[in-house]
Amino acid sequence: MTTTPEYSAITDWCQISGMTRTATYYALARGELRAKKCGRRVLIHVPTGLAYIDALPDATFNIKAPKAA
């Protein structure tokens, strides 16, 4: 049984969430993610981050029908 940490470093957050580092820093700048500073490290609040991802709109896909031969 694995548990999700309360806070994680940016690298670990990217693995947990699937977000890129750039997208993470932009979300931090917009105030959409919570973080703490511990020395030089940025620690993302994981439960808030996962709630942020869960609140994003669902993906939609438009698939074109193949052309008849």
Side-chain angles (χ1 to χ4, degrees):
M1 178 176 160
T2 60
T3 59
T4 303
E6 188 76 16
Y7 287 90
S8 70
I10 295 287
T11 304
D12 297 330
W13 165 251
C14 292
Q15 290 179 344
I16 291 168
S17 67
M19 289 178 68
T20 64
R21 290 178 68 84
T22 302
T24 298
Y25 280 109
Y26 277 120
L28 285 167
R30 290 188 303 263
E32 296 166 344
L33 294 176
R34 277 183 43 203
K36 301 284 185 182
K37 284 288 282 186
C38 182
R40 297 174 70 184
R41 295 179 67 184
V42 176
L43 300 174
I44 303 293
H45 186 251
V46 175
T48 303
L50 294 176
Y52 161 72
I53 291 172
D54 194 44
L56 291 172
D58 290 337
T60 58
F61 301 93
N62 296 323
I63 299 174
K64 295 180 181 179
K67 293 183 180 181

